[in-house]
Amino acid sequence: MRSSRFDSALGRTLEGARRVVTRAAASLDRGVVRWTEEGLRPRRRDASGARQDRARRTREGIVELAAAYGAGTLALPSPFFPTPEPASLELTARGAGPEGSRVYDLAQPSAYLPYWAPARDAYLRFRENLTAHARWWRGPRSAHGRPRPLIVTLHGWRAGAHWVSERVFETSYWLHHGFDVVAFQLPFHGRRTPAEHASGALFPGRDLARTNEAFGHAIHDLRALVSALRADHGVAQVGALGMSLGSYVTALWASVTDDLDFAVATIPAVAMPSLMLRERERSAQGRAARRDGVDEALLAEVFAVHSPLARPPRLPAERLFVIAGDGDRVTPAEQAEALIQHWRCASHWFAGGHLAQLGRHQALREARLRLLRQGIGEGK
């Protein structure tokens, strides 16, 4: 009886602690969202007629984009996702890494050609973005001699620094359990950031054509990288582990190619229109745009070409996993829930939020154990 009462009291204490953690994490996320919205909110106040004229032109431009990107691109194979040639990789040794690994920086010239011709010159003028960069932690050969599975980590918005990715994705943990790790930098992030811009400032953003092309660019360069690693470096099984924006790319990658053996999406974003419009809800420009028909439905048409929910996954549910935070207010619960339903896969919810990811390690461990049951990785 005493043990039963103790267990009950302990359960209530732990649940109370979880609620406190969730509230604190949610508060931190909301503060960052407000700060971001203030930075993005329009400062200029136009006269009513000028505002209406701009909203009309904006809507016409978005309708044109929706038609351009939606014409014959949604089926597979899609002309928006052409099969690239394997990348020509330049490897630079960086020395020893954790768990007996060797560290290499990878650079690959990108042959990506923007799909929509009118966007090409503007997109390709950012020369720094035309070389893809990644860091590879390559572990020692396992005792049984088989190639180690490779996990490609895909960072969130405004991130991309390799030292951050190494810690956030717990590279040492994956190396310890028999994986190699490649941290890939998304377009316009990290070393792909154009001069005089901050990492991620240009993607995703209000330039909808650039946003579309950058998602196509990411998939193109990831496929070229993986092809080269398989052809030239003996890599066999490959999976993706994304976070936030990186989870969007992970889910997209898993839906348009057969490159992947598994995919894990952490605090995922999957519905770009609702995330992009959220910061405009309280602005006069946003309300005017909605009155003129620039709403989630129209943006969804523009973004359908790369929406992770537009096509079924190419992997069985047993090799898909979603990790979400109860306190996440940056990519809210409905984003994760939509992906879980679309993938029909298992999930793990931790108590923290988007930034304070308290409980993330346990979630990553659950993902690894599920992969182990599929014969991927080592250990217990």
Side-chain angles (χ1 to χ4, degrees), residues 55-368:
R56 176 185 57 77
R57 294 196 307 271
T58 297
R59 185 181 188 283
E60 290 174 353
I62 295 175
V63 169
E64 179 185 4
L65 284 177
Y69 284 104
T73 59
L74 299 183
L76 292 178
S78 169
F80 188 74
F81 298 107
T83 302
E85 295 295 323
S88 176
L89 294 180
E90 176 185 324
L91 273 69
T92 302
R94 304 290 297 183
E99 299 292 331
S101 65
R102 304 297 298 176
V103 184
Y104 302 89
D105 279 351
L106 310 179
Q108 61 185 78
S110 176
Y112 180 72
L113 181 67
Y115 171 79
W116 191 44
R120 287 175 186 165
D121 288 345
Y123 190 88
L124 295 175
R125 71 186 176 90
F126 298 107
R127 308 305 299 175
E128 298 91 338
N129 191 43
L130 303 185
T131 299
H133 297 275
R135 177 164 291 177
W136 185 9
W137 290 266
R138 192 172 195 182
R141 178 72 66 172
S142 60
H144 50 61
R146 292 194 298 270
R148 294 163 65 98
L150 176 70
I151 190 163
V152 180
T153 63
L154 298 170
H155 59 79
W157 183 49
R158 296 285 184 124
H162 292 319
W163 70 270
V164 175
S165 293
E166 180 180 2
R167 288 157 179 77
V168 168
F169 290 104
E170 302 190 24
T171 294
S172 295
Y173 177 76
W174 294 101
L175 288 165
H176 179 75
H177 289 285
F179 290 80
D180 282 353
V181 179
V182 166
F184 179 85
Q185 293 181 332
L186 295 172
F188 298 104
H189 287 76
R191 294 186 64 186
R192 307 183 71 161
T193 303
E196 301 181 0
H197 292 275
S199 179
L202 296 177
F203 163 67
R206 291 178 180 171
D207 187 324
L208 304 186
R210 184 196 300 143
T211 294
N212 277 5
E213 297 296 345
F215 280 119
H217 197 175
I219 298 302
H220 176 279
D221 288 354
L222 284 165
R223 298 186 71 189
L225 171 65
V226 168
S227 293
L229 291 173
R230 281 184 162 141
D232 300 331
H233 298 278
V235 171
Q237 293 176 309
V238 176
L241 170 60
M243 185 172 293
S244 192
L245 175 63
S247 281
Y248 190 104
V249 176
T250 294
L252 172 62
W253 193 7
S255 72
V256 296
T257 81
D258 293 320
D259 295 341
L260 296 176
D261 294 284
F262 60 91
V264 179
T266 304
I267 51 173
V270 293
M272 195 62 63
S274 63
L275 293 174
M276 293 185 74
L277 285 175
R278 179 176 56 179
E279 56 90 11
R280 298 188 180 188
E281 285 296 319
R282 294 188 293 275
S283 72
Q285 185 187 49
R287 291 191 293 271
R290 282 189 176 278
R291 286 196 299 270
D292 284 276
V294 180
D295 56 12
E296 287 187 24
L298 181 55
L299 287 182
E301 290 185 42
V302 178
F303 292 153
V305 65
H306 54 71
S307 169
L309 306 180
R311 306 170 183 87
R314 309 283 293 178
L315 288 165
E318 294 78 17
R319 295 192 173 211
L320 300 168
F321 193 65
V322 173
I323 297 171
D326 288 329
D328 194 338
R329 299 299 181 267
V330 177
T331 54
E334 56 265 26
Q335 299 269 327
E337 289 166 351
L339 184 58
I340 293 166
Q341 182 176 6
H342 184 66
W343 277 0
R344 300 183 181 277
C345 70
S347 63
H348 181 104
W349 292 76
F350 57 77
H354 202 86
L355 301 174
Q357 297 176 18
L358 303 175
R360 180 184 64 212
H361 177 76
Q362 181 60 33
L364 292 176
R365 180 176 183 274
E366 177 64 22
R368 184 188 66 78

